[in-house]
Amino acid sequence: MPKADQIYHKRPGLEKAFYYAQTCRAGNTLYVSGCVSWDAEGNIIGAGDMRAQVKQVYTDLKETLEANGATLQNVLKETVFTTDMDALVANNDVRIGFYQDAASAPPAATWIGCTRLAAPEMMIELECIAQLD
């Protein structure tokens, strides 16, 4: 189990209610929990709009990494869960843009189609592993 100084809460109330941390650090490895298209209160951003959700998820990831002293350049592996693979593929340019803006080589990636995420309006969830400098 991680120690308190090894975890980070982006949305403390929500994360504590569901008993998880947005990140856990072990040595120089950062494990990032699923980033979703939520605002600070847990309201869905971009319901029914994959493009808006992809943008929000990668914005959330970027902010989470920065809070832990990292950037998208530090991402080694990402796993994306989606309820609509066709829409995700059609909006992959948004994802690519985030990595290119960070001048980052692409990470290893896996995309998984699923029937539902934590809330019915969620279309995408992203978790990743990053190596800290």
Short mmCIF file of all heavy atoms in Angstrom, two decimals, residues 6-57:
data_model
loop_
_atom_site.label_atom_id
_atom_site.label_comp_id
_atom_site.label_asym_id
_atom_site.label_seq_id
_atom_site.Cartn_x
_atom_site.Cartn_y
_atom_site.Cartn_z
N GLN A 6 3.11 9.46 -1.20
CA GLN A 6 3.27 8.87 -2.53
C GLN A 6 2.01 8.98 -3.37
O GLN A 6 1.98 8.50 -4.49
CB GLN A 6 3.66 7.39 -2.41
CG GLN A 6 5.00 7.17 -1.75
CD GLN A 6 5.25 5.70 -1.50
OE1 GLN A 6 4.42 5.01 -0.91
NE2 GLN A 6 6.38 5.22 -1.96
N ILE A 7 0.97 9.63 -2.82
CA ILE A 7 -0.27 9.74 -3.58
C ILE A 7 -0.61 11.20 -3.83
O ILE A 7 -0.14 12.11 -3.14
CB ILE A 7 -1.45 9.03 -2.88
CG1 ILE A 7 -1.76 9.67 -1.53
CG2 ILE A 7 -1.17 7.55 -2.73
CD1 ILE A 7 -3.03 9.17 -0.90
N TYR A 8 -1.44 11.42 -4.85
CA TYR A 8 -1.91 12.75 -5.20
C TYR A 8 -3.40 12.66 -5.49
O TYR A 8 -3.85 11.73 -6.18
CB TYR A 8 -1.16 13.25 -6.45
CG TYR A 8 -1.82 14.40 -7.16
CD1 TYR A 8 -1.77 15.70 -6.64
CD2 TYR A 8 -2.49 14.21 -8.36
CE1 TYR A 8 -2.38 16.75 -7.30
CE2 TYR A 8 -3.10 15.26 -9.03
CZ TYR A 8 -3.04 16.52 -8.49
OH TYR A 8 -3.64 17.56 -9.15
N HIS A 9 -4.15 13.61 -4.94
CA HIS A 9 -5.59 13.68 -5.20
C HIS A 9 -5.87 14.94 -6.02
O HIS A 9 -5.59 16.04 -5.58
CB HIS A 9 -6.39 13.76 -3.89
CG HIS A 9 -6.40 12.49 -3.11
ND1 HIS A 9 -7.08 11.37 -3.53
CD2 HIS A 9 -5.82 12.16 -1.94
CE1 HIS A 9 -6.93 10.41 -2.65
NE2 HIS A 9 -6.16 10.86 -1.67
N LYS A 10 -6.41 14.76 -7.21
CA LYS A 10 -6.81 15.90 -8.05
C LYS A 10 -8.19 16.40 -7.63
O LYS A 10 -8.43 17.59 -7.59
CB LYS A 10 -6.83 15.49 -9.52
CG LYS A 10 -7.19 16.62 -10.47
CD LYS A 10 -6.95 16.23 -11.92
CE LYS A 10 -7.38 17.28 -12.89
NZ LYS A 10 -6.60 18.49 -12.89
N ARG A 11 -9.10 15.50 -7.34
CA ARG A 11 -10.45 15.83 -6.87
C ARG A 11 -10.66 15.09 -5.54
O ARG A 11 -11.28 14.03 -5.50
CB ARG A 11 -11.49 15.38 -7.91
CG ARG A 11 -11.36 16.11 -9.23
CD ARG A 11 -12.30 15.52 -10.29
NE ARG A 11 -12.02 16.08 -11.58
CZ ARG A 11 -11.14 15.59 -12.45
NH1 ARG A 11 -10.44 14.52 -12.17
NH2 ARG A 11 -10.96 16.18 -13.62
N PRO A 12 -10.10 15.64 -4.46
CA PRO A 12 -10.06 14.92 -3.18
C PRO A 12 -11.40 14.35 -2.72
O PRO A 12 -11.46 13.20 -2.30
CB PRO A 12 -9.53 15.95 -2.19
CG PRO A 12 -8.77 16.92 -3.03
CD PRO A 12 -9.49 16.97 -4.35
N GLY A 13 -12.46 15.13 -2.79
CA GLY A 13 -13.75 14.64 -2.31
C GLY A 13 -14.23 13.43 -3.07
O GLY A 13 -14.65 12.43 -2.48
N LEU A 14 -14.18 13.50 -4.40
CA LEU A 14 -14.61 12.37 -5.23
C LEU A 14 -13.72 11.16 -5.03
O LEU A 14 -14.20 10.03 -4.89
CB LEU A 14 -14.60 12.77 -6.71
CG LEU A 14 -15.67 13.77 -7.14
CD1 LEU A 14 -15.38 14.28 -8.53
CD2 LEU A 14 -17.03 13.12 -7.09
N GLU A 15 -12.43 11.39 -5.02
CA GLU A 15 -11.50 10.26 -4.90
C GLU A 15 -11.60 9.59 -3.54
O GLU A 15 -11.55 8.36 -3.45
CB GLU A 15 -10.07 10.74 -5.19
CG GLU A 15 -9.90 11.17 -6.64
CD GLU A 15 -8.64 11.94 -6.90
OE1 GLU A 15 -7.62 11.70 -6.22
OE2 GLU A 15 -8.66 12.80 -7.80
N LYS A 16 -11.75 10.37 -2.50
CA LYS A 16 -11.88 9.78 -1.17
C LYS A 16 -13.20 9.02 -1.04
O LYS A 16 -13.26 7.97 -0.41
CB LYS A 16 -11.71 10.84 -0.10
CG LYS A 16 -10.26 11.31 -0.02
CD LYS A 16 -10.05 12.40 1.00
CE LYS A 16 -8.58 12.84 0.97
NZ LYS A 16 -8.32 13.95 1.86
N ALA A 17 -14.26 9.54 -1.67
CA ALA A 17 -15.56 8.86 -1.63
C ALA A 17 -15.49 7.49 -2.30
O ALA A 17 -16.15 6.54 -1.87
CB ALA A 17 -16.63 9.72 -2.29
N PHE A 18 -14.71 7.39 -3.36
CA PHE A 18 -14.57 6.12 -4.09
C PHE A 18 -13.32 5.34 -3.67
O PHE A 18 -13.05 4.27 -4.20
CB PHE A 18 -14.56 6.36 -5.61
CG PHE A 18 -15.91 6.73 -6.15
CD1 PHE A 18 -16.24 8.06 -6.38
CD2 PHE A 18 -16.86 5.75 -6.40
CE1 PHE A 18 -17.48 8.41 -6.88
CE2 PHE A 18 -18.11 6.09 -6.90
CZ PHE A 18 -18.42 7.42 -7.12
N TYR A 19 -12.54 5.89 -2.74
CA TYR A 19 -11.33 5.29 -2.18
C TYR A 19 -10.29 4.94 -3.24
O TYR A 19 -9.95 3.77 -3.48
CB TYR A 19 -11.65 4.05 -1.33
CG TYR A 19 -10.51 3.71 -0.39
CD1 TYR A 19 -10.19 4.56 0.65
CD2 TYR A 19 -9.75 2.58 -0.57
CE1 TYR A 19 -9.13 4.28 1.50
CE2 TYR A 19 -8.68 2.29 0.27
CZ TYR A 19 -8.38 3.14 1.31
OH TYR A 19 -7.33 2.86 2.14
N TYR A 20 -9.82 5.98 -3.89
CA TYR A 20 -8.69 5.84 -4.81
C TYR A 20 -7.93 7.16 -4.85
O TYR A 20 -8.43 8.19 -4.40
CB TYR A 20 -9.14 5.43 -6.22
CG TYR A 20 -9.73 6.55 -7.06
CD1 TYR A 20 -8.94 7.21 -8.00
CD2 TYR A 20 -11.05 6.93 -6.94
CE1 TYR A 20 -9.47 8.23 -8.78
CE2 TYR A 20 -11.59 7.94 -7.71
CZ TYR A 20 -10.79 8.60 -8.63
OH TYR A 20 -11.32 9.61 -9.39
N ALA A 21 -6.71 7.12 -5.36
CA ALA A 21 -5.90 8.32 -5.57
C ALA A 21 -5.72 8.53 -7.06
O ALA A 21 -5.67 7.56 -7.82
CB ALA A 21 -4.54 8.16 -4.90
N GLN A 22 -5.63 9.78 -7.49
CA GLN A 22 -5.41 10.04 -8.91
C GLN A 22 -4.05 9.51 -9.35
O GLN A 22 -3.92 9.01 -10.45
CB GLN A 22 -5.54 11.54 -9.22
CG GLN A 22 -5.48 11.87 -10.69
CD GLN A 22 -6.60 11.21 -11.49
OE1 GLN A 22 -7.69 11.00 -11.00
NE2 GLN A 22 -6.32 10.88 -12.74
N THR A 23 -3.06 9.62 -8.47
CA THR A 23 -1.76 9.01 -8.78
C THR A 23 -1.17 8.36 -7.55
O THR A 23 -1.42 8.78 -6.42
CB THR A 23 -0.72 10.04 -9.31
OG1 THR A 23 -0.37 10.95 -8.27
CG2 THR A 23 -1.23 10.78 -10.53
N CYS A 24 -0.36 7.34 -7.82
CA CYS A 24 0.49 6.72 -6.81
C CYS A 24 1.89 6.65 -7.40
O CYS A 24 2.06 6.28 -8.56
CB CYS A 24 0.03 5.30 -6.46
SG CYS A 24 -1.52 5.23 -5.58
N ARG A 25 2.88 7.01 -6.57
CA ARG A 25 4.26 6.98 -7.03
C ARG A 25 5.00 5.87 -6.31
O ARG A 25 4.86 5.68 -5.10
CB ARG A 25 4.93 8.33 -6.73
CG ARG A 25 6.37 8.43 -7.14
CD ARG A 25 6.99 9.77 -6.80
NE ARG A 25 6.59 10.35 -5.52
CZ ARG A 25 7.11 10.02 -4.35
NH1 ARG A 25 8.05 9.11 -4.25
NH2 ARG A 25 6.67 10.60 -3.24
N ALA A 26 5.80 5.12 -7.07
CA ALA A 26 6.68 4.10 -6.50
C ALA A 26 8.05 4.34 -7.13
O ALA A 26 8.22 4.13 -8.32
CB ALA A 26 6.17 2.70 -6.82
N GLY A 27 8.99 4.81 -6.32
CA GLY A 27 10.30 5.16 -6.88
C GLY A 27 10.13 6.26 -7.91
O GLY A 27 9.52 7.29 -7.64
N ASN A 28 10.63 6.02 -9.12
CA ASN A 28 10.48 7.03 -10.17
C ASN A 28 9.37 6.67 -11.17
O ASN A 28 9.34 7.18 -12.28
CB ASN A 28 11.80 7.27 -10.90
CG ASN A 28 12.25 6.08 -11.72
OD1 ASN A 28 11.78 4.96 -11.54
ND2 ASN A 28 13.17 6.32 -12.65
N THR A 29 8.45 5.79 -10.75
CA THR A 29 7.32 5.42 -11.60
C THR A 29 6.05 6.02 -11.04
O THR A 29 5.77 5.92 -9.84
CB THR A 29 7.18 3.89 -11.68
OG1 THR A 29 8.42 3.34 -12.16
CG2 THR A 29 6.06 3.49 -12.62
N LEU A 30 5.27 6.66 -11.92
CA LEU A 30 4.01 7.28 -11.54
C LEU A 30 2.88 6.52 -12.21
O LEU A 30 2.86 6.36 -13.44
CB LEU A 30 4.00 8.75 -11.98
CG LEU A 30 2.80 9.57 -11.53
CD1 LEU A 30 2.84 9.78 -10.01
CD2 LEU A 30 2.78 10.91 -12.25
N TYR A 31 1.96 6.04 -11.41
CA TYR A 31 0.78 5.33 -11.91
C TYR A 31 -0.40 6.30 -11.84
O TYR A 31 -0.73 6.80 -10.77
CB TYR A 31 0.50 4.08 -11.06
CG TYR A 31 1.63 3.09 -11.11
CD1 TYR A 31 2.69 3.16 -10.23
CD2 TYR A 31 1.64 2.09 -12.08
CE1 TYR A 31 3.74 2.26 -10.29
CE2 TYR A 31 2.68 1.18 -12.15
CZ TYR A 31 3.74 1.27 -11.26
OH TYR A 31 4.78 0.38 -11.33
N VAL A 32 -1.01 6.57 -12.99
CA VAL A 32 -2.10 7.54 -13.07
C VAL A 32 -3.42 6.80 -13.24
O VAL A 32 -3.59 6.04 -14.20
CB VAL A 32 -1.89 8.53 -14.23
CG1 VAL A 32 -3.03 9.55 -14.28
CG2 VAL A 32 -0.53 9.25 -14.10
N SER A 33 -4.35 7.04 -12.31
CA SER A 33 -5.68 6.45 -12.39
C SER A 33 -6.43 7.02 -13.59
O SER A 33 -6.03 8.02 -14.17
CB SER A 33 -6.49 6.76 -11.13
OG SER A 33 -5.95 6.11 -10.02
N GLY A 34 -7.52 6.39 -13.92
CA GLY A 34 -8.30 6.79 -15.08
C GLY A 34 -8.68 8.26 -15.08
O GLY A 34 -9.35 8.73 -14.16
N CYS A 35 -8.25 8.97 -16.10
CA CYS A 35 -8.66 10.35 -16.32
C CYS A 35 -9.94 10.32 -17.14
O CYS A 35 -10.01 9.62 -18.16
CB CYS A 35 -7.58 11.11 -17.09
SG CYS A 35 -6.02 11.27 -16.19
N VAL A 36 -10.93 11.06 -16.70
CA VAL A 36 -12.22 11.11 -17.38
C VAL A 36 -12.61 12.56 -17.61
O VAL A 36 -11.96 13.48 -17.12
CB VAL A 36 -13.31 10.36 -16.58
CG1 VAL A 36 -13.01 8.87 -16.51
CG2 VAL A 36 -13.46 10.94 -15.18
N SER A 37 -13.69 12.75 -18.32
CA SER A 37 -14.13 14.09 -18.69
C SER A 37 -15.04 14.67 -17.61
O SER A 37 -16.24 14.87 -17.80
CB SER A 37 -14.86 14.02 -20.04
OG SER A 37 -15.10 15.31 -20.52
N TRP A 38 -14.44 14.96 -16.44
CA TRP A 38 -15.14 15.54 -15.30
C TRP A 38 -14.65 16.94 -15.05
O TRP A 38 -13.47 17.24 -15.26
CB TRP A 38 -14.80 14.76 -14.03
CG TRP A 38 -15.66 13.61 -13.68
CD1 TRP A 38 -16.88 13.29 -14.17
CD2 TRP A 38 -15.34 12.60 -12.73
NE1 TRP A 38 -17.35 12.15 -13.58
CE2 TRP A 38 -16.42 11.70 -12.69
CE3 TRP A 38 -14.26 12.37 -11.90
CZ2 TRP A 38 -16.45 10.59 -11.85
CZ3 TRP A 38 -14.27 11.27 -11.06
CH2 TRP A 38 -15.36 10.40 -11.04
N ASP A 39 -15.53 17.78 -14.51
CA ASP A 39 -15.07 19.05 -13.96
C ASP A 39 -14.72 18.81 -12.49
O ASP A 39 -14.75 17.66 -12.02
CB ASP A 39 -16.11 20.15 -14.15
CG ASP A 39 -17.41 19.95 -13.36
OD1 ASP A 39 -17.46 19.08 -12.45
OD2 ASP A 39 -18.37 20.67 -13.65
N ALA A 40 -14.39 19.85 -11.77
CA ALA A 40 -13.94 19.72 -10.38
C ALA A 40 -14.99 19.10 -9.45
O ALA A 40 -14.64 18.48 -8.45
CB ALA A 40 -13.51 21.09 -9.84
N GLU A 41 -16.25 19.24 -9.80
CA GLU A 41 -17.33 18.69 -8.97
C GLU A 41 -17.80 17.32 -9.42
O GLU A 41 -18.72 16.75 -8.84
CB GLU A 41 -18.53 19.65 -8.94
CG GLU A 41 -18.28 20.92 -8.14
CD GLU A 41 -17.44 21.93 -8.93
OE1 GLU A 41 -17.65 22.08 -10.14
OE2 GLU A 41 -16.55 22.54 -8.32
N GLY A 42 -17.21 16.80 -10.49
CA GLY A 42 -17.60 15.48 -10.98
C GLY A 42 -18.71 15.51 -12.01
O GLY A 42 -19.30 14.48 -12.31
N ASN A 43 -18.98 16.69 -12.58
CA ASN A 43 -19.97 16.81 -13.65
C ASN A 43 -19.30 16.46 -14.98
O ASN A 43 -18.15 16.83 -15.22
CB ASN A 43 -20.55 18.22 -13.72
CG ASN A 43 -21.23 18.60 -12.42
OD1 ASN A 43 -22.10 17.89 -11.94
ND2 ASN A 43 -20.81 19.71 -11.85
N ILE A 44 -20.02 15.78 -15.85
CA ILE A 44 -19.49 15.38 -17.15
C ILE A 44 -19.31 16.60 -18.04
O ILE A 44 -20.19 17.44 -18.15
CB ILE A 44 -20.43 14.37 -17.85
CG1 ILE A 44 -20.62 13.12 -16.99
CG2 ILE A 44 -19.94 14.02 -19.25
CD1 ILE A 44 -19.38 12.30 -16.83
N ILE A 45 -18.16 16.68 -18.68
CA ILE A 45 -17.88 17.70 -19.69
C ILE A 45 -18.01 17.02 -21.05
O ILE A 45 -17.39 16.00 -21.30
CB ILE A 45 -16.47 18.28 -19.51
CG1 ILE A 45 -16.35 19.00 -18.17
CG2 ILE A 45 -16.11 19.21 -20.67
CD1 ILE A 45 -14.94 19.41 -17.81
N GLY A 46 -18.83 17.58 -21.93
CA GLY A 46 -18.95 17.06 -23.29
C GLY A 46 -19.78 15.80 -23.41
O GLY A 46 -19.45 14.92 -24.22
N ALA A 47 -20.86 15.71 -22.69
CA ALA A 47 -21.73 14.52 -22.80
C ALA A 47 -22.14 14.33 -24.26
O ALA A 47 -22.60 15.26 -24.91
CB ALA A 47 -22.96 14.69 -21.93
N GLY A 48 -21.91 13.13 -24.79
CA GLY A 48 -22.26 12.80 -26.17
C GLY A 48 -21.31 13.35 -27.21
O GLY A 48 -21.55 13.20 -28.40
N ASP A 49 -20.22 13.98 -26.80
CA ASP A 49 -19.28 14.63 -27.71
C ASP A 49 -17.87 14.06 -27.48
O ASP A 49 -17.15 14.51 -26.59
CB ASP A 49 -19.30 16.13 -27.47
CG ASP A 49 -18.41 16.93 -28.42
OD1 ASP A 49 -17.55 16.34 -29.11
OD2 ASP A 49 -18.57 18.17 -28.44
N MET A 50 -17.50 13.06 -28.28
CA MET A 50 -16.20 12.41 -28.10
C MET A 50 -15.05 13.40 -28.20
O MET A 50 -14.11 13.34 -27.43
CB MET A 50 -16.02 11.27 -29.10
CG MET A 50 -14.67 10.55 -28.98
SD MET A 50 -14.41 9.70 -27.40
CE MET A 50 -15.24 8.16 -27.73
N ARG A 51 -15.11 14.30 -29.16
CA ARG A 51 -14.01 15.26 -29.34
C ARG A 51 -13.79 16.08 -28.06
O ARG A 51 -12.67 16.24 -27.60
CB ARG A 51 -14.28 16.16 -30.54
CG ARG A 51 -13.09 17.01 -30.92
CD ARG A 51 -13.29 17.63 -32.31
NE ARG A 51 -12.03 18.09 -32.84
CZ ARG A 51 -11.14 17.34 -33.46
NH1 ARG A 51 -11.36 16.06 -33.66
NH2 ARG A 51 -10.00 17.85 -33.90
N ALA A 52 -14.87 16.58 -27.48
CA ALA A 52 -14.77 17.36 -26.24
C ALA A 52 -14.23 16.50 -25.11
O ALA A 52 -13.41 16.96 -24.30
CB ALA A 52 -16.13 17.94 -25.88
N GLN A 53 -14.66 15.24 -25.05
CA GLN A 53 -14.20 14.37 -23.97
C GLN A 53 -12.72 14.00 -24.14
O GLN A 53 -11.98 13.98 -23.15
CB GLN A 53 -15.08 13.12 -23.86
CG GLN A 53 -16.46 13.47 -23.31
CD GLN A 53 -17.21 12.27 -22.80
OE1 GLN A 53 -16.65 11.24 -22.44
NE2 GLN A 53 -18.53 12.40 -22.74
N VAL A 54 -12.29 13.74 -25.35
CA VAL A 54 -10.86 13.43 -25.57
C VAL A 54 -10.02 14.63 -25.15
O VAL A 54 -9.01 14.48 -24.45
CB VAL A 54 -10.59 13.04 -27.04
CG1 VAL A 54 -9.09 12.96 -27.31
CG2 VAL A 54 -11.26 11.73 -27.38
N LYS A 55 -10.44 15.82 -25.55
CA LYS A 55 -9.70 17.03 -25.18
C LYS A 55 -9.64 17.18 -23.66
O LYS A 55 -8.57 17.46 -23.10
CB LYS A 55 -10.34 18.26 -25.81
CG LYS A 55 -9.60 19.54 -25.51
CD LYS A 55 -10.23 20.74 -26.20
CE LYS A 55 -9.43 21.99 -25.86
NZ LYS A 55 -10.06 23.20 -26.38
N GLN A 56 -10.76 16.98 -22.98
CA GLN A 56 -10.79 17.12 -21.53
C GLN A 56 -9.94 16.05 -20.84
O GLN A 56 -9.23 16.34 -19.88
CB GLN A 56 -12.22 17.08 -21.00
CG GLN A 56 -12.32 17.24 -19.49
CD GLN A 56 -11.68 18.52 -18.99
OE1 GLN A 56 -11.78 19.57 -19.62
NE2 GLN A 56 -11.02 18.45 -17.84
N VAL A 57 -10.00 14.83 -21.32
CA VAL A 57 -9.23 13.74 -20.71
C VAL A 57 -7.73 14.02 -20.81
O VAL A 57 -6.99 13.85 -19.83
CB VAL A 57 -9.60 12.39 -21.36
CG1 VAL A 57 -8.57 11.32 -21.08
CG2 VAL A 57 -10.97 11.94 -20.87
#
